[in-house]
Amino acid sequence: MQYLAVLLLLILLTLANDSPVVAKTIFGNGTTSAFPFTDKRLLGPNTDPGSATNVKTFGAVGDGVTDDTAAITAAIAAIASANGGLLYFPPGIYLISSQISGISNLEIACNNATITTNVVVTRALFYFTKTTNTYVHGCKFDQAQPRLPVYSDRTQAVVGVAILFDPGSSNIRIIGNAFTNLYTNALFFYHAETYVEVASNTFTSPQANQNIELEHMHTVTFGGRFDVHDNTFVNAPPLAQNINAGCIFFGNTVGSVNVSNNSFDYCGRSYFPSGSHPVATVDFYTSHENVTLNDNIATNNMWQFARVGSAWPAEIGGNTISRGPNASSSQLISIEGTAINFGLARSGSENIDVHDNTLMEDYPSGASTGIGAASYDYATPIKNLRIHNNSLVGFGFAALVSGVMEGVSIDHNQLTGASGNIISVSFNNHCCALTADHGVTEAQSRITGISITDNYLSSTGNSNSIQVNLEFDPAYIGTVGDITIERNVIKVDSPSVAAGIFARGPLPGAPAGQIFIRSNKVTNFSNSFYLQNWDRATIIGNDTWNISGADLYQERINTPIVGTTETKTVRPSGR
C-alpha cells in the first residue's frame, strides 16, 4: 500500500509539472493566490532568461536613442498569442514614445535594463485594463521629469505615469523595481481589485517643479487586499512645502490595506502658501476599511505623515516620524471623520488604534501638532479612538482631539512639549464649524467616554498641559458624558502662569456629565486645576508641587466638588 501511495503521488506531480499553468505561487508576504508563473521563470540580474520572450528578438535596440515602442508591442503580441508569458528586457536603455497596452498573464522582467521616454505619454508607458495576473520585477523606470515640460493642468487626462491599471485589473505584483524622475505618478491603480502587492521597490524624485497630481503611488477605488511593504521613497528636498510629491495616496478602498516596513524621506505637500492640493506622505483620503500602517520610518515629512479619513478600523503603530525643515505645522498623524457624501461606503472614523509611535519635532514656534483627530459633521463622530504608548517630543499639541466623539482614550503616552496644550480635547475642531448636513443636529450629537490616563507630560511653556474645553460661542448643546483625567504626571520645567489641568464644561449649554480628576501629580503651575461650567466634578487623591496660585480654581460647578481638601497633598516650594 505504501508503494502504491508513493507511485500515485509521483504521477500527480508529473501531471502538475506538464501543465502549462501552475496555479499556486506564494507571495512575498505569505499570501497564497492563483498566479501562472513558477519560480524558475523569475529573473534577476545575470539570470538565464530561458524560454522568455526577449524584446531584442523583435527588434528592440536598447540604446536609449532608438524608439523601441513597436518592438516591445510586437513582443507582447507574441506572448498574447500563447495566452501569457514572460517579457524579458536584457541590459540596455529602452525608449518608449507612446503607450504600450498590457495583457493578462504577463510577467515583465529586466536584467540591468532601464525603460524611459522622451515625450509626455498619454496615460502611461504601460497600460493595463481588464487584465489579470501581472508581475513586474527587476526593472528601472525613468520617467524623465527633468527632460519634459512642466505638468501644470490638473483637468487634463492622466499622463506620464509609468504603469497604470484601469478598471477590472486584478492580481498585480510590482516587486524589486526602481522608479526614478517622477513626472506625475509612478504607479496608478484605478478600480483595481482582488490583490495588489507593491514590495521592495525604490521610488525617487528630483526637486519637484509642480504642486498638483504628483504622487509616487495613486490608488482610486480598490476592492480586495492591497499590501505595500519594504519600499523606499526618497524625494529631493523641495523648493517649498507646497511643491513636492506625496508618496502613497489611497481614495476609497474596500477590503484591507497594509502599508508596513517602508521608508520615506521628504514626502508630502501642504496647501500653504499658494493653495495647492495637500497630500500626506501616506494618505488614506475618504472611505477605507481595515487599514494597517505599521513599522514605517518617515523623515522630513513636509505636511502630514498619515491622513486617515473615514476608516473602520485602522491601526497606526510602531512608526518613527519626524518633520522636515520649513514644513507645515499640521498634525503628523491625522484621523478625520469625513461627511457622508459622494456615495462613500464609510463615514466617520471608528475603532482606531494609534500606538507605539515615535514622533519628533523641532518646529520653532511650538505650535505644531503630533497626533490629531477631528470630526466635521455631527453625523460622523470619532468613535472608539485609542492613542496609547506613543512617544512625542517637541510638539505644542502632542494629542489634539476635536469635534464630536464617542469613546476616546489617551493613555500611557510620554509627551514632551515646547509649549501649548500637550493634550487637548475640545468641541472646536480648529478649522471650521461642524455641519448638520446629514440628518444629525448638534443637539442630537454626543461627546462621551473621554479618558486621559497614565500619561507623562513635560513642557517648557506657559499653557495648560491638559485642556478639555467644551465651551465655545455659542456653547455646545449636545450630550456630554463623563470625562476622566487620572494618574497622569504633569510638570513644567520652570514656574508657569497656566494650569496643569484645565477643564471647561459646556454650561449653561448642554446638560454636562461628571468630570473626574483623580490621582494626578502636578508640578510648577499657577493652578493645579482650573474648572468651570460643570454639572458635577470630583477631584480626589491628587499630589501637587510648587503651585504659585490657588491650587484649585473653580466657578459655575452645580454639584459640590468631592474630596478636594481631604485627600490632596500640597508640597512646599522647593521639594
Side-chain angles (χ1 to χ4, degrees), residues 171-189:
N171 289 345
I172 300 162
R173 297 182 73 203
I174 310 294
I175 311 291
N177 304 281
F179 297 87
T180 65
N181 289 323
L182 177 70
Y183 188 67
T184 51
N185 310 114
L187 300 174
F188 196 120
F189 302 91

Side-chain angles (χ1 to χ4, degrees), residues 8-89:
L8 178 60
L9 178 61
L10 289 173
I11 293 171
L12 291 173
L13 289 173
T14 301
L15 290 173
N17 288 334
D18 290 340
S19 175
V21 173
V22 177
K24 294 291 184 180
T25 293
I26 303 299
F27 288 147
N29 59 10
T31 301
T32 304
S33 179
F35 207 80
F37 306 118
T38 64
D39 287 343
K40 67 181 180 181
R41 302 285 299 279
L42 307 186
L43 300 178
N46 304 314
T47 300
D48 181 5
S51 60
T53 300
N54 190 323
V55 294
K56 288 194 172 183
T57 302
F58 291 82
V61 178
D63 62 0
V65 177
T66 304
D67 187 348
D68 292 321
T69 306
I72 297 168
T73 301
I76 292 176
I79 294 173
S81 66
N83 197 30
L86 191 153
L87 180 68
Y88 173 60
F89 289 82

Side-chain angles (χ1 to χ4, degrees), residues 20-369:
V21 173
V22 177
K24 294 291 184 180
T25 293
I26 303 299
F27 288 147
N29 59 10
T31 301
T32 304
S33 179
F35 207 80
F37 306 118
T38 64
D39 287 343
K40 67 181 180 181
R41 302 285 299 279
L42 307 186
L43 300 178
N46 304 314
T47 300
D48 181 5
S51 60
T53 300
N54 190 323
V55 294
K56 288 194 172 183
T57 302
F58 291 82
V61 178
D63 62 0
V65 177
T66 304
D67 187 348
D68 292 321
T69 306
I72 297 168
T73 301
I76 292 176
I79 294 173
S81 66
N83 197 30
L86 191 153
L87 180 68
Y88 173 60
F89 289 82
I93 300 174
Y94 298 86
L95 191 67
I96 294 176
S97 63
S98 62
Q99 175 181 287
I100 294 175
S101 295
I103 60 172
S104 290
N105 302 324
L106 179 63
E107 179 178 0
I108 301 175
C110 299
N111 182 2
N112 296 320
T114 297
I115 299 168
T116 189
T117 187
N118 57 2
V119 297
V120 179
V121 175
T122 299
R123 286 198 292 239
L125 300 179
F126 286 90
Y127 174 71
F128 294 83
T129 182
K130 296 183 176 63
T131 59
T132 188
N133 297 335
T134 303
Y135 185 12
V136 182
H137 60 100
C139 298
K140 179 180 179 180
F141 294 88
D142 181 354
Q143 296 180 256
Q145 185 256 38
R147 305 187 295 276
L148 299 179
V150 175
Y151 178 79
S152 59
D153 185 3
R154 137 184 298 149
T155 63
Q156 71 185 63
V158 175
V159 298
V161 177
I163 309 175
L164 190 153
F165 295 91
D166 248 0
S169 300
S170 63
N171 289 345
I172 300 162
R173 297 182 73 203
I174 310 294
I175 311 291
N177 304 281
F179 297 87
T180 65
N181 289 323
L182 177 70
Y183 188 67
T184 51
N185 310 114
L187 300 174
F188 196 120
F189 302 91
Y190 183 68
H191 289 260
E193 58 191 44
T194 309
Y195 185 80
V196 173
E197 181 184 21
V198 179
S200 303
N201 303 282
T202 300
F203 299 84
T204 60
S205 174
Q207 195 169 71
N209 52 17
Q210 65 194 65
N211 61 6
I212 53 176
E213 305 298 342
L214 191 65
E215 298 93 30
H216 291 284
M217 284 182 54
H218 190 102
T219 302
V220 177
T221 310
F222 173 78
R225 175 173 172 174
F226 204 125
D227 284 334
V228 184
H229 62 91
D230 298 289
N231 301 282
T232 299
F233 298 82
V234 179
N235 296 329
L239 293 169
Q241 60 179 261
N242 68 312
I243 305 176
N244 197 41
C247 284
I248 300 175
F249 179 92
F250 289 99
N252 195 15
T253 63
V254 177
S256 66
V257 180
N258 167 50
V259 179
S260 61
N261 294 295
N262 303 282
S263 65
F264 306 91
D265 192 36
Y266 281 107
C267 289
R269 66 176 174 273
S270 172
Y271 52 83
F272 181 83
S274 64
S276 61
H277 180 60
V279 175
T281 296
V282 183
D283 205 323
F284 291 93
Y285 188 68
T286 67
S287 175
H288 304 278
E289 61 184 18
N290 299 311
V291 170
T292 304
L293 181 59
N294 286 351
D295 301 314
N296 301 282
I297 298 174
T299 54
N300 294 308
N301 292 273
M302 297 308 296
W303 190 51
Q304 298 173 352
F305 162 64
R307 172 169 58 177
V308 180
S310 293
W312 299 15
E315 179 186 12
I316 306 171
N319 302 286
T320 301
I321 308 164
S322 66
R323 200 183 303 276
N326 302 312
S328 164
S329 62
S330 183
Q331 53 262 43
L332 284 177
I333 296 176
S334 177
I335 311 298
E336 299 181 359
T338 56
I340 305 171
N341 52 17
F342 308 122
L344 299 178
R346 300 288 187 185
S347 60
S349 284
E350 185 170 341
N351 298 330
I352 311 295
D353 188 4
V354 183
H355 66 91
D356 296 288
N357 300 285
T358 300
L359 283 71
M360 294 166 285
E361 173 66 288
D362 58 359
Y363 203 77
S365 70
S368 61
T369 303

Side-chain angles (χ1 to χ4, degrees), residues 484-488 516-520 538-542:
T484 300
I485 304 173
E486 64 181 347
R487 297 189 303 275
N488 300 285
F516 296 91
I517 301 177
R518 297 182 291 219
S519 304
N520 300 282
T538 297
I539 301 180
I540 190 168
N542 299 284

Side-chain angles (χ1 to χ4, degrees), residues 298-548:
T299 54
N300 294 308
N301 292 273
M302 297 308 296
W303 190 51
Q304 298 173 352
F305 162 64
R307 172 169 58 177
V308 180
S310 293
W312 299 15
E315 179 186 12
I316 306 171
N319 302 286
T320 301
I321 308 164
S322 66
R323 200 183 303 276
N326 302 312
S328 164
S329 62
S330 183
Q331 53 262 43
L332 284 177
I333 296 176
S334 177
I335 311 298
E336 299 181 359
T338 56
I340 305 171
N341 52 17
F342 308 122
L344 299 178
R346 300 288 187 185
S347 60
S349 284
E350 185 170 341
N351 298 330
I352 311 295
D353 188 4
V354 183
H355 66 91
D356 296 288
N357 300 285
T358 300
L359 283 71
M360 294 166 285
E361 173 66 288
D362 58 359
Y363 203 77
S365 70
S368 61
T369 303
I371 300 170
S375 56
Y376 299 103
D377 188 277
Y378 296 113
T380 59
I382 300 292
K383 289 185 177 181
N384 300 328
L385 167 65
R386 188 180 181 198
I387 302 171
H388 63 102
N389 297 98
N390 301 283
S391 174
L392 289 86
V393 178
F395 295 89
F397 295 95
L400 174 63
V401 184
S402 55
V404 289
M405 60 199 82
E406 300 175 15
V408 173
S409 177
I410 304 173
D411 63 277
H412 296 90
N413 301 285
Q414 182 163 326
L415 313 171
T416 304
S419 62
N421 314 122
I422 298 181
I423 295 177
S424 176
V425 176
S426 70
F427 169 56
N428 175 17
N429 68 13
H430 298 273
C431 86
C432 44
L434 274 76
T435 60
D437 296 339
H438 304 285
V440 177
T441 66
E442 179 179 337
Q444 295 170 318
S445 67
R446 296 158 55 87
I447 298 176
T448 62
I450 311 303
S451 174
I452 303 171
T453 63
D454 300 289
N455 299 285
Y456 175 88
L457 300 88
S458 176
S459 71
T460 59
N462 283 311
S463 296
N464 310 313
S465 283
I466 294 179
Q467 177 165 298
V468 176
N469 195 349
L470 305 183
E471 180 195 54
F472 286 91
D473 188 15
Y476 176 63
I477 61 172
T479 299
V480 177
D482 290 348
I483 295 175
T484 300
I485 304 173
E486 64 181 347
R487 297 189 303 275
N488 300 285
V489 176
I490 309 165
K491 68 176 186 176
V492 66
D493 289 348
S494 57
S496 170
V497 298
I501 298 174
F502 177 100
R504 178 179 287 155
L507 295 180
Q514 182 168 195
I515 184 165
F516 296 91
I517 301 177
R518 297 182 291 219
S519 304
N520 300 282
K521 295 183 178 181
V522 183
T523 304
N524 263 357
F525 290 89
S526 177
N527 305 112
S528 297
F529 318 109
Y530 189 111
L531 271 65
Q532 289 180 317
N533 305 353
W534 292 97
D535 185 43
R536 292 168 293 160
T538 297
I539 301 180
I540 190 168
N542 299 284
D543 214 357
T544 63
W545 279 262
N546 294 349
I547 305 303
S548 61

